[in-house]
Amino acid sequence: MVRRTKADAEATRCTILDAAEQLFYEQGVSRTTLEKIARAAGVTRGAIYWHFTDKADLFNAMLERIRLPFRQMLSELDHSTETDPFLRIRDVMIRSLEIVGQSEQHRRVLTIVFHRCEYIDELNPAVRQQEHLNNEVHDTMQRAFSRAAQAGLLNPAITPALAASALNAYLGGLIAKYLLHPEQCDLANHAAELIDGLLLGLKKPD
């Protein structure tokens, strides 16, 4: 009985998250109320508050559903023993873009983050969580580029911190462009070429 109750609770939580994700995507975050989410999910507002503290908590939980594969790849990059760090950086970045290009859910959630979200006071906790992940990406990249510099592979005119910032900004720009105009920036099929174009400029010339 307890096991079934937990399963029911988890199913309700997922239903609420699915409804919130769809409404955030269709209407934008600021125009989507908890009341609208409750109606779309077929639950009461009390059920939402049972699972989530507030709208920011729900928003962050929605983001967490797509963050896991990216965090796993960052961990792989941080613990890589690859003699050429550029190969591991390339692999992680290509896989990241391919996930966005191939997964409808990732595209929907990232569209919300990039194009449907006003970072107003009620979302501040979720914004801080997203900033923490962005900093985590930057720091992991910087450590990887530091290893590349130690191996004599990084362009000496570029510091590891600058290389990490450039790659992070480039990826963000690619994803934002793709979400608006996928026909101009095919991440699913051209991820390798897009990443190689940037990394070529960061590597030490032969």
Side-chain angles (χ1 to χ4, degrees):
M1 178 65 75
V2 173
R3 195 172 299 167
R4 186 174 63 190
T5 300
K6 288 182 178 179
D8 289 344
E10 182 58 27
T12 298
R13 185 177 187 275
C14 289
T15 298
I16 293 169
L17 285 169
D18 289 342
E21 182 181 303
Q22 192 62 39
L23 287 175
F24 287 156
Y25 178 76
E26 293 174 354
Q27 302 181 9
V29 176
S30 64
R31 295 176 58 192
T32 300
T33 64
L34 293 181
E35 182 64 37
K36 289 181 179 180
I37 294 171
R39 286 200 303 268
V43 302
T44 64
R45 284 190 61 176
I48 293 181
Y49 283 119
W50 176 263
H51 292 280
F52 307 100
T53 304
D54 50 26
K55 187 174 175 180
D57 187 33
L58 196 162
F59 182 83
N60 191 58
M62 178 197 69
L63 293 180
E64 279 298 321
R65 298 205 296 182
I66 70 162
R67 285 172 175 159
L68 182 59
F70 297 116
R71 283 207 164 102
Q72 289 175 334
M73 286 187 284
L74 288 176
S75 179
E76 290 176 14
L77 179 58
D78 233 5
H79 296 90
S80 172
T81 57
E82 177 69 59
T83 56
D84 183 349
F86 270 96
L87 293 178
R88 179 57 62 188
I89 293 170
R90 178 182 186 273
D91 176 62
V92 167
M93 294 302 97
I94 289 173
R95 286 160 57 197
S96 296
L97 291 183
E98 287 176 342
I99 286 175
V100 178
Q102 295 168 2
S103 167
E104 183 177 347
Q105 183 182 35
H106 281 75
R107 290 196 299 274
R108 187 164 52 244
V109 173
L110 289 173
T111 296
I112 294 167
V113 172
F114 278 88
H115 302 302
R116 305 279 200 277
C117 183
E118 298 175 8
Y119 292 108
I120 53 181
D121 289 344
E122 66 176 336
L123 289 183
N124 277 347
V127 172
R128 285 194 293 271
Q129 287 287 335
Q130 187 62 27
E131 289 177 347
H132 177 74
L133 179 59
N134 289 338
N135 290 337
E136 186 180 338
V137 171
H138 179 276
D139 292 346
T140 302
M141 290 296 159
Q142 183 171 334
R143 288 190 291 271
F145 281 120
S146 292
R147 294 193 295 273
Q150 292 167 6
L153 299 172
L154 182 66
N155 188 325
I158 303 172
T159 66
L162 185 59
S165 294
L167 183 54
N168 208 4
Y170 180 68
L171 286 175
L174 279 178
I175 292 171
K177 180 73 171 178
Y178 170 74
L179 295 172
L180 286 177
H181 302 289
E183 74 284 355
Q184 297 178 11
C185 186
D186 187 349
L187 299 187
N189 295 310
H190 297 146
E193 296 92 330
L194 291 166
I195 293 300
D196 287 342
L198 178 67
L199 292 183
L200 183 64
L202 297 176
K203 293 189 72 171
K204 182 180 179 180
D206 295 331

